[in-house]
Amino acid sequence: MAYRFAYRASSEAALLRRVAAIEKSGFKVIGWADGDLGHGRAFRFEDPFGHLFEIYWETNRYRAPEEERPKLKNLAQRYHGQGASPCHLDHLNLLAADVAEFRRFMETCLGSRVTEMIQLDNGRLGGCWFTVNNKTYNLACTEEHGGGHGRFHHVTYATDTREDILRAADIFLENGVHIETGPHKYAIQGTFFLYVWEPAGNRVELANSGARLILAPDWEPVVWTETERKKGQAWGLKTIETFHTHGTPPVPQKGH
Amino acid sequence: MAYRFAYRASSEAALLRRVAAIEKSGFKVIGWADGDLGHGRAFRFEDPFGHLFEIYWETNRYRAPEEERPKLKNLAQRYHGQGASPCHLDHLNLLAADVAEFRRFMETCLGSRVTEMIQLDNGRLGGCWFTVNNKTYNLACTEEHGGGHGRFHHVTYATDTREDILRAADIFLENGVHIETGPHKYAIQGTFFLYVWEPAGNRVELANSGARLILAPDWEPVVWTETERKKGQAWGLKTIETFHTHGTPPVPQKGH
Amino acid sequence: MAYRFAYRASSEAALLRRVAAIEKSGFKVIGWADGDLGHGRAFRFEDPFGHLFEIYWETNRYRAPEEERPKLKNLAQRYHGQGASPCHLDHLNLLAADVAEFRRFMETCLGSRVTEMIQLDNGRLGGCWFTVNNKTYNLACTEEHGGGHGRFHHVTYATDTREDILRAADIFLENGVHIETGPHKYAIQGTFFLYVWEPAGNRVELANSGARLILAPDWEPVVWTETERKKGQAWGLKTIETFHTHGTPPVPQKGH
Amino acid sequence: MAYRFAYRASSEAALLRRVAAIEKSGFKVIGWADGDLGHGRAFRFEDPFGHLFEIYWETNRYRAPEEERPKLKNLAQRYHGQGASPCHLDHLNLLAADVAEFRRFMETCLGSRVTEMIQLDNGRLGGCWFTVNNKTYNLACTEEHGGGHGRFHHVTYATDTREDILRAADIFLENGVHIETGPHKYAIQGTFFLYVWEPAGNRVELANSGARLILAPDWEPVVWTETERKKGQAWGLKTIETFHTHGTPPVPQKGH
């Protein structure tokens, strides 16, 4: 397993409560690992589809070196205005053979809430969007159709404006980065998006949610039917075929 | 007291915990009031500067009438694209004779965290920005310099983009609404802002925070000195004089 | 012929020079017509593909009624900020069975310059973009593939910003207007675009060209090959099928 | 005279017509100069306020080196998305002791049209905006109040969007570049602007005009009164004091 996803607990006590919940959940537990770059000890566990998670509390807050100190002291570092200039990590999207089971994992182990989901006509969940704070989602899961295991669909960075994403599209174009789809606006969650593949093949999204937040503690998940999803994205863009098939790592082809 | 500010608790249990904290806080308690438009019973209390607060749990979720149902089911109602088209209520700003005491009120009664603040050379707090969730602030307090009591400085609506605010400036201009200052970007919190006075004299702000959120549970308040604040806003705009003196209701003039 | 396209000459003398050039061009001449709403007498002529053109000098400058007078005197009327709020008519796109012959018509009769064009592998022109001023184009022509005659492909309105177009997409969505394709950025001309069909079926485009102008009097047309065009638009969007087939008026179907 | 401003004629014949007009104008003529970087021979002349102009036809069109070739062949070079990323030179602003006389110079020697102007109560022109094409202005002149001669007020670069200017403000801030005023929108011409001083003291503006163009050949100049100008810019920003006094080169102080 070459990659893992780390959540930060809201306190040491919250971390220990989570660990207790995970240990009794029946999902696969790896156990405590020493700290790593940027954080202290972390508790590792795994979803039924081969993705490695960890949770930690102790963190090493980034301190910019002298030459990277921003002019405004409420920023972590200088703004350079180069490239897409995203503001922070927005969310991950993972592939799973059974989204309903993945949902049980997220609710049980991480206390995540579902904000939106796709209910397929065959009774299965096609996708599920989860949050642990006021963001509309921190992690999404979509159904694996390529026969892979433990696969990653994409990682997303948040930009301050939609214009940052339009600008980034020109930068990707000029630098020969494969633009898979977008810019456009999602029907689900209403996010303005752009997808590219970095040179190693991982899908990266830039996203802007405007001022949208989920502030209601009793938010009811928005459930989209298969019929509704067939209408395409908010302004009509159809989902591109590779979006259903491309994940990383690639699935070995038979006979190879 | 003609106006009041209502916070929603995150559950019925949380509401009761808050009420217990407020009752033993020593701050002025009004007590339970029946529900009002949009919410159920609410517990009322007052800060030492004459502002009436309330806290509640039961809410009546807005259901759009047939003709206002949006095409995207994750929205509360149709987007009309008229006027400034703000997305949600962003924050309030209240005036208080003693910001440090107001801070004690916010932390004790509402469990608010301070994300940024102004430390004046005379040892007093010039202003304080508070949050109870992942927004950078839900309420701000600045020092009352006009001799008023229980005064309101402004209410703010969040827009999805900075362009919404530039557009709104043209709409305010065309409709003869007094634009007090902006559009510009705050040094504190980095918010892109525009201030107008509605016809009755209340100050209204439009604001866009980009993707900025306070996600760290152990965020350390950013403390600005008086010298730093004298540099003006992020891009150099000086604070307009009325911003320090205009609040509502107006303070009666002596001899009148 | 239910519709016609009018160009304004740059002076009375320029109008008469144009009329002389048109009369000796061999293209079909209709002759002088009385003035119409907004302009004085106009000289009418026709391209070989059934589109009626006219050219005039005398114009009735719009004067806003009292209640529509703008706050800024350099504007023609108040800004309302409703709908897409386009700034001016941008260009037309016409269908023609022979784009090269249409080009000869535009250069001969209107003195238009070609700024960009598509050179197909079969030796024909697939499309041609014309200008008579510093705009990158005022009129475009693309090859008719639907067997129609005198057909119109689309009319375009210019917006001040790309954000106006993103906003308009939401407004079109909410009002049930068919969004055909976009928003995206053209490879040819680099225009940010959105296409919709108004209820009667005519295609309407919103476009933003940023600061792009053709200021060089000796601009060499940019020639795109068929291979280059197959790459799709600037950020990779493929041309939607209806874009090649839908024009107005519709072509009567055989047997109907 | 360390700097000069060059206009390109629309053809060799137009150049010679202009030279004849300048020679008989009575304004100061310098005569033909050999070509320089980017252009062929140029005819030099001077306004009565010490600014050196030239006009030329032959030009060396920029050809990007291999590594700077853009992905879209209608662009002059690659888009890097760094800094303010302006699209083209927009206009110059010069200071003159007598704006009306400067206007006579611009109309006589360059055939420029006035699109907007300020008529002061004392009968003088306070400022004048000139164009030779469809841009709203290519050159502006404002009254010199600092006792200087041949001074330059600012040079302006056009950006594709207003967002480019907001982004640039952050970049200027981070790099310690003095932001003089803005971003804001002008009442005159409606341009969205930002002014900074480059390290040597020259004022540089970034500007975005949206889709605004002057397409009418018989455009009547918009005349602003002194009273109207005292209202400040479009959204109320007052003109900063240095804007009236700072020009380059600086005026030597008496006794120094």
Side-chain angles (χ1 to χ4, degrees), chain D residues 50-99:
Chain D
H51 304 101
L52 180 59
F53 285 76
E54 62 183 26
I55 185 165
Y56 69 95
W57 162 243
E58 290 162 15
T59 200
N60 304 325
R61 194 141 184 192
Y62 172 72
R63 288 193 184 283
E66 188 67 39
E67 69 278 12
E68 286 299 320
R69 297 265 166 83
K71 283 291 191 298
L72 297 175
K73 66 199 294 183
N74 50 8
L75 298 177
Q77 65 166 28
R78 295 181 68 189
Y79 173 76
H80 293 276
Q82 293 181 321
S85 298
C87 182
H88 57 72
L89 185 64
D90 189 86
H91 69 272
L92 297 172
N93 185 308
L94 305 179
L95 294 170
D98 182 344
V99 176

Side-chain angles (χ1 to χ4, degrees), chain A residues 12-161:
Chain A
E12 178 71 16
L15 172 63
L16 298 179
R17 281 198 302 272
R18 272 300 113 205
V19 168
I22 295 163
E23 283 179 329
K24 76 170 193 191
S25 70
F27 288 105
K28 183 174 177 187
V29 167
I30 316 289
W32 291 102
D34 286 343
D36 202 342
L37 181 66
H39 64 84
R41 68 170 188 160
F43 188 81
R44 294 186 179 170
F45 54 109
E46 209 176 294
D47 76 20
F49 312 99
H51 304 101
L52 179 60
F53 285 75
E54 61 183 25
I55 186 166
Y56 68 94
W57 160 244
E58 291 163 14
T59 200
N60 305 325
R61 194 140 184 193
Y62 173 72
R63 290 194 182 281
E66 188 68 39
E67 68 279 12
E68 287 299 320
R69 297 263 166 82
K71 284 290 191 299
L72 298 176
K73 66 199 294 184
N74 48 9
L75 298 178
Q77 64 166 29
R78 295 181 67 190
Y79 173 74
H80 292 276
Q82 294 181 321
S85 297
C87 182
H88 56 72
L89 185 63
D90 190 86
H91 69 273
L92 298 173
N93 185 308
L94 306 180
L95 294 170
D98 182 344
V99 177
E101 177 66 0
F102 185 85
R103 175 187 182 174
R104 195 174 70 81
F105 167 81
M106 288 295 290
E107 292 177 336
T108 308
C109 296
L110 286 162
S112 273
R113 293 187 291 150
V114 173
T115 53
E116 306 205 17
M117 55 197 278
I118 300 170
Q119 179 66 62
L120 299 176
D121 293 347
N122 61 11
R124 298 172 63 85
L125 293 186
C128 219
W129 283 255
F130 302 93
T131 191
V132 293
N133 51 28
N134 296 129
K135 285 187 76 290
T136 48
Y137 51 118
N138 316 114
L139 192 142
C141 177
T142 40
E143 203 172 46
E144 166 74 77
H145 292 149
H149 187 70
R151 293 214 297 167
F152 172 78
H153 193 266
H154 65 261
V155 62
T156 303
Y157 295 91
T159 65
D160 281 326
T161 69

